[in-house]
């Protein structure tokens, strides 16, 4: 796959808590229009890196840029203008339980635009249609399945037509069939709209189905130990840690 222009640049980022680094001096790029996955074992820093990339956490050092603009942490409820360029689907879906699906999807529209109620209602209906939830506008999250909740959260993440969608464990808690349907939806949005996708995941089935390029983080190295096309890494990597990860095998000590 030909690379486009880098839309995200992570430059020598160190992340952690207090003075304890989880990842040190991590650098990589995400290219426009690709589906990119961040992989690694438990405790390797995937979610922490995700938080830094989306402005939810400040790195210990280093910088993240989106379209050349530095990502600033969202401190004290401040609003980062870059948020209009990204949408985030959290592992839990993070829908507001007391709001209908339509009201949930409308939240970022109300926060970041001055659209009138009629236009907002039309836009919300369109986003729910795109994720196969037309007709569920008045349902509460508790009244629909887990897979439908994930799709509603995806509609909310897409509400402002962001250039980049971030996914934190999108398939978590879903059965294999529902997970595969969500993968198909993510792939369809990527191909139809050219939206750049960044996923943090441990679901290798999803990685092989839709990820075009990945990085693999390692807890001991505190850095990236592999980068590339997932099938190529599984079949051709000379690093036993990499092939073990993709083949789900354990090397003998």
């Amino acid at each position: 796959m030909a690379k486009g222009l880098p839309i995200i640049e992570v430059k020598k980022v160190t992340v952690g808590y207090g003075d304890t680094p989880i990842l040190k001096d991590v650098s990589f790029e995400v290219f426009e229009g690709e589906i990119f996955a961040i992989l690694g074992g438990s405790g390797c820093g995937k979610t922490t890196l995700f938080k830094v990339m989306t402005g939810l956490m400040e790195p210990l050092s280093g910088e993240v840029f989106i379209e050349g603009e530095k990502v600033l942490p969202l401190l004290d409820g401040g609003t980062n203008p870059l948020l209009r360029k990204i949408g985030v689907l959290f592992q839990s879906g993070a829908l507001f339980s007391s709001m209908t699906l339509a009201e949930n999807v409308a939240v970022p529209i109300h926060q970041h635009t001055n659209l009138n109620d009629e236009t907002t209602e039309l836009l919300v209906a369109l986003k729910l249609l795109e994720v196969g939830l037309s007709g569920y506008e008045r349902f509460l999250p508790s009244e629909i399945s887990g897979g439908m909740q994930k799709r509603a959260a995806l509609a909310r993440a897409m509400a402002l037509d962001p250039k980049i969608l971030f996914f934190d464990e999108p398939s978590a808690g879903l059965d294999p069939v529902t997970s595969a349907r969500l993968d198909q939806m993510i792939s369809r949005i990527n191909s139809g709209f050219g939206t750049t996708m960044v996923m943090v995941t441990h679901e290798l089935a999803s990685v092989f189905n839709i990820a075009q390029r990945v990085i693999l983080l390692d807890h001991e190295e505190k850095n990236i130990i592999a980068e590339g096309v997932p099938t190529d890494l599984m079949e051709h990597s000379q690093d036993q840690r990499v092939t073990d990860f993709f083949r789900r095998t354990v090397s003998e000590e």
Side-chain angles (χ1 to χ4, degrees):
M1 183 187 71
K3 292 181 179 179
L5 297 173
I7 192 169
I8 302 172
E9 298 169 279
V10 176
K11 297 186 176 182
K12 298 185 73 66
V13 164
T14 296
V15 301
Y17 298 91
D19 295 325
T20 304
I22 300 173
L23 295 169
K24 296 176 66 175
D25 294 331
V26 171
S27 297
F28 62 92
E29 296 175 325
V30 179
F31 294 94
E32 191 170 359
E34 74 176 342
I35 300 178
F36 181 89
I38 300 172
L39 311 177
S42 298
C44 72
K46 299 187 302 294
T47 297
T48 307
L49 180 59
F50 174 91
K51 290 178 180 178
V52 169
M53 293 175 71
T54 53
L56 296 173
M57 183 174 173
E58 187 171 9
L60 298 178
S61 63
E63 298 170 310
V64 177
F65 296 88
I66 292 179
E67 291 194 316
E69 294 184 65
K70 184 176 178 178
V71 175
L72 300 174
L74 304 176
L75 301 176
D76 302 320
T79 301
N80 187 334
L82 283 175
L83 285 181
R84 291 210 52 175
K85 295 183 178 182
I86 72 172
V88 182
L89 177 60
F90 295 99
Q91 179 175 338
S92 64
L95 295 172
F96 296 105
S97 60
S98 61
M99 292 183 177
T100 65
L101 300 193
E103 289 168 341
N104 267 282
V105 176
V107 167
I109 301 172
H110 291 317
Q111 286 180 336
H112 297 287
T113 76
N114 294 314
L115 295 177
N116 61 39
D117 290 344
E118 183 179 1
T119 303
T120 298
E121 186 176 337
L122 289 172
L123 183 55
V124 166
L126 176 61
K127 296 306 173 185
L128 288 171
L129 176 63
E130 288 175 358
V131 299
L133 290 176
S134 181
Y136 287 87
E137 286 83 357
R138 296 182 182 275
F139 281 65
L140 293 171
S142 61
E143 297 173 327
I144 60 176
S145 68
M148 294 169 77
Q149 289 178 24
K150 285 288 180 77
R151 285 189 277 147
L154 177 56
R156 185 177 62 186
M158 295 168 53
L160 299 177
D161 293 325
K163 291 189 174 184
I164 306 167
L165 282 172
F166 287 89
F167 301 87
D168 183 19
E169 300 286 3
S171 299
L174 301 181
D175 65 79
V177 173
T178 303
S179 177
R181 287 174 178 163
L182 183 61
D183 287 345
Q184 289 176 348
M185 188 166 295
I186 291 171
S187 183
R188 187 173 69 246
I189 292 167
N190 170 259
S191 60
F193 297 97
T195 309
T196 304
M197 312 285 202
V198 179
M199 297 193 307
V200 171
T201 184
H202 66 276
E203 295 289 345
L204 287 181
S206 293
V207 170
F208 287 122
N209 280 338
I210 63 174
Q212 298 157 355
R213 197 164 59 89
V214 304
I215 56 172
L216 179 61
L217 304 176
D218 182 75
H219 175 69
E220 293 184 357
E221 294 287 341
K222 292 181 169 46
N223 212 306
I224 298 167
I225 60 170
E227 179 175 348
V229 177
T231 51
D232 289 346
L233 294 176
M234 181 179 69
E235 295 171 2
H236 304 299
S237 176
Q238 301 302 306
D239 190 325
Q240 190 68 46
R241 296 170 299 178
V242 177
T243 54
D244 282 350
F245 180 87
F246 284 104
R247 295 181 186 274
R248 295 185 181 229
T249 57
V250 179
S251 297
E252 294 187 11
E253 298 293 337

